[in-house]
Amino acid sequence: MNTQSPVYTQKTECQDCYKCVRVCEFKAIKIEDGHAIVITEACVYCGRCVEVCPAGAKRVRNDLVRLKYMISSGRNLIASVAPSYIACVASSAQNAFINSFVRSGFIGASETALGAQSVSSVLKENIRYGEINITTCCPVVVEIIRKYYSHLVPLLTPLMSPALAHAKQLKNTFGKDCEVVFVGPCIAKKIEADRNPSLISISVSFEEALSIFGDLKEEDSAEFITERAGAGNYYPVEGGMIRTISEARHADNCYMAFSGVDEVRGVLDSIGGIEKCKTLVLELMACRGGCINGPLSGKNKSFLSKRMNVLQKACERENIVASVFKDITAGWDKSCVNTNVYREEDIAAVLKTTGKSREDQQLNCGGCGYDSCRDFAKAIIDKKAERSMCVTYMRRLAQKKANALIKSMPSGVVIADDSLSVIECNLNFARLFIEQADTMFNARPGLEGANLSKILPANICSIFLNVIRTGNDFFEKDIRVENKFYHCSIFLIEKGHVAGGIFQDITSPMMRKKNVIDKAENVINRNLQTVQTIAALLGENAASTEVLLNSIIESFNASEMREDEDE
Ligand code: SF4
Ligand code: SF4
Ligand code: SF4
């Protein structure tokens, strides 16, 4: 049995875009150390996250190595091939695809549609008249009901899925030693196999099976083992199951089919509102349009042609009568996912820490992957989300940090745009260039919107504009303004739009003192480097070398200090 979940995240590839969180109907994904991890207990294996992940980080477990091992170890394998192969495998290769199982060492390939026919046959006899019946061949729907609508579990028809029914039927015919390999378009079938290893040993996609067979040429016919299936071939399209139980229909009874996770949820949500009905049979499938659009169905054919191909083939075979296997009852246990009740004060506390106490601060933008700021707050309480997922919170945080840094810098700092309008500056900048700077700065903190050309001399402004326009990243120079010298560093922030400047008054006594200290440090560093180089050349232990070095250092120091004094 495989212990790895059929859907997982390749952590190193995750780019923290939260697209998977956004599309997951059950928010079965938590952010851990910046990576979006699938919460196995909450996941229903619909595969939506895999489909949308732009980085290829959300993945479906690949069972190819295991399958190859099973083949090479000479086991009695039988392929149970889902009827959607008509939609998913190229028409010209379909017969060769079926025949390739025998060539690869399988006992043969059999149609899962046989299991579907057994399900339909038993279902017809077990419809609970005067009640609501939820019937499905889809393990995702079963997971949704078990985990999120557990009060509706009693409405599920107590029958195995066609794949499990078929596997049991095959074991009944070929003996318990044979091993069934399900081949289909479905991720959730992998978990169904994991949970029922005595019936299905492994579940692989059409693509995984095709990769073993290599290039397939057109062949005249396909040889299935046991018998050919008839109306069971309708199952992969929405409404296919209901179609096979049509004789059971009656004017007083209502049969309806729905597909797509959102539609399925809509139906399950509204069941409570149904007044006393006579008989309602609901066929539910998680993939829009049915298994022909399964997550592993391949996207190389149009939805219309897939549906058309399946319906045509099913119609051709509709009247084939196959034997019915009736020992397929199943029971469903509940597996409720913890649905917390959140205290209003806890939600408010989290909203406060993300700067969303007021309703107008709750943008509900969905950037974090959750539909609303409140849902995001609940996910934080559940430890599924981190505050850093909120774009506006992070933006405000970054702004605060930048403000604090600019404010604490001893130099004058200004950021301006391409029209020389000040975006932000600190008080030290204002004090360098503006009279009564404190008063002005208090009246307009950061001097946002002030015109830089009215604050700085024209030559510095033109350097600013030049850096913005040319995109030259950095400009550094000492510039004289009236009777003062300023050390100016002007750097690009966004080409064509924004640049920043750092200014130091190097004529001030503080700066002069600092310059002297910098020069002294420079001399010491250069001395040390020279000494190290010479020591390496001559060998460190020689006493004569030490004497020589000391004299070199002394003479070097003396000459450097003289240079300094001359300056
Ligand atoms: S979709 Fe999810 S798994 Fe993929 S990169 Fe974005 S956050 Fe990561
Ligand atoms: S497989 Fe479906 S339920 Fe599971 S995490 Fe992905 S989107 Fe959510
Ligand atoms: S509808 Fe989709 S998820 Fe459900 S059984 Fe078919 S392929 Fe699998």
Side-chain angles (χ1 to χ4, degrees), residues 44-46 84 136-141 185-189 236 284-296:
V44 299
Y45 310 102
C46 65
S84 47
T136 181
C137 61
C138 175
V140 172
V141 171
C186 183
I187 296 173
K189 281 277 184 272
L284 305 179
M285 295 173 102
C287 296
R288 175 95 44 218
C291 300
I292 51 171
N293 270 334
L296 305 178

Side-chain angles (χ1 to χ4, degrees), residues 324-441:
V324 172
F325 184 70
K326 296 210 168 192
D327 182 15
I328 55 169
T329 49
W332 308 113
D333 59 331
K334 298 178 182 180
S335 177
C336 310
V337 171
N338 188 20
T339 40
N340 273 342
V341 177
Y342 304 90
R343 294 187 318 166
E344 208 44 52
E345 57 264 40
D346 292 339
I347 296 174
V350 174
L351 286 172
K352 192 174 174 195
T353 62
T354 51
K356 297 169 189 304
S357 297
R358 293 197 320 267
E359 223 162 275
D360 64 308
Q361 291 170 325
Q362 296 167 26
L363 300 181
N364 302 323
C365 67
C368 56
Y370 289 85
D371 293 340
S372 68
C373 298
R374 279 178 67 83
D375 284 352
F376 176 53
K378 289 176 190 171
I380 291 178
I381 294 170
D382 288 342
K383 300 198 178 349
K384 279 163 58 177
E386 295 170 350
R387 275 181 301 176
S388 59
M389 293 163 72
C390 173
V391 187
T392 53
Y393 166 73
M394 289 308 281
R395 206 173 134 250
R396 266 200 304 272
L397 195 66
Q399 185 71 50
K400 273 188 196 164
K401 281 183 186 168
N403 288 350
L405 273 174
I406 290 176
K407 208 170 144 191
S408 65
M409 279 179 78
S411 308
V413 181
V414 64
I415 297 170
D417 66 15
D418 55 338
S419 60
L420 290 180
S421 174
V422 173
I423 294 171
E424 173 122 39
C425 74
N426 64 3
L427 182 58
N428 287 337
F429 172 78
R431 282 176 179 161
L432 285 180
F433 297 105
I434 301 173
E435 280 177 28
Q436 296 182 328
D438 287 43
T439 318
M440 278 190 70
F441 203 84

